[in-house]
Amino acid sequence: MSVRPVVAALVGVLMAGCADLPTTGDGVVELRVELPASTTLVQGETIQLSALAYDRTGAVVTDAPITWSTPDTTVSVDAELGVVTGLAESGSGRVQAAVGTLRSNLITFTLQPAPSELRP
Amino acid sequence: MSWWKRILTGDDETLAPRRLDYLNEGLALERQGDLEAAVTSYQLALRDEPHNTKVLQYIAIALSKTGRQEEAIRHYRRALELDEGLVGAHYGLAFLLLRRGDPDRAAEHLRQFLARPLRDPEMARWVDHARATLSGLEQGSLPGSESA
């Protein structure tokens, strides 16, 4: 058995391990959404979300163009401001931040009906 | 009661009419989801105590859940005539008026509700919702709030 193909394969694996982290055009390698104090959202009410983008050195990229989106119809989110509005009175809704093709984890909100009465 | 006491006093508890607890009956029926029957029980409770603001509010809540908004509004208003400090009546009435398309009066009742701070921290949800709704009305960002 020739040693050369094995060495070549090992070098390939090592190269892959050292490959650059995926970055956006802004050099962002990580996106962290700050979780709000509560992830319960009352129908019709809003929560402001914020996220921080980091470059490969761990520094915050202040001018990263963060956008917001939701795959669900139970909540809506302002694409630029990250203001989430509860649309449904029950169930859940997910929101995520993105910079270019880099996406954050989905943040899940539990939806609640707006209290329309107060019992004596 | 002994026959002896009955002869002497003429009292007979077994013959005294018993007042049914219609209010609790209504509450139990409401919990079971039978809103129409609950309304009937509350109305019977109100017949016994026409000035009971608690009963008036329970009727209003049950009526609004059955879609009888105008009747619910009437009962909330009656409760507030009797006691203008009833936070629950201001709150419920505000949202019924808002649903009916009367944002000005709805805003007024929300202000009345918020002017009476609730001590119970559990009430934060109601206070937050009232604040958010009032703010939306004042900024004209809620449906039907253009004239607010």
Side-chain angles (χ1 to χ4, degrees), chain B residues 33-82:
Chain B
D34 193 345
L35 291 168
E36 293 294 347
V39 168
T40 304
S41 295
Y42 290 144
Q43 282 167 337
L44 289 167
L46 191 63
R47 191 190 58 184
D48 289 342
E49 296 178 77
H51 297 114
N52 188 327
T53 56
K54 218 178 225 187
V55 176
L56 281 161
Q57 289 176 88
Y58 281 129
I59 294 183
I61 290 168
L63 285 168
S64 60
K65 283 182 181 168
T66 58
R68 290 149 74 181
Q69 288 189 31
E70 291 307 313
E71 287 174 77
I73 287 172
R74 264 206 316 277
H75 282 84
Y76 271 137
R77 285 193 167 138
R78 177 71 188 129
L80 287 170
E81 276 170 22
L82 295 166

Side-chain angles (χ1 to χ4, degrees), chain A residues 28-46:
Chain A
V28 175
V29 296
E30 190 184 356
L31 197 54
R32 280 190 216 155
V33 176
E34 284 181 43
L35 281 178
S38 167
T39 51
T40 297
L41 189 54
V42 172
Q43 183 188 26
E45 291 186 1
T46 57

Side-chain angles (χ1 to χ4, degrees), chain A residues 45 112-120, chain B residues 30 57-58 61 65 91 123 125-126 129:
Chain A
E45 291 186 1
Q112 238 179 31
S116 59
E117 81 253 350
L118 178 56
R119 301 184 79 82
Chain B
E30 200 179 336
Q57 289 176 88
Y58 281 129
I61 290 168
K65 283 182 181 168
Y91 186 93
M123 293 287 114
R125 199 174 147 223
W126 282 262
H129 186 52

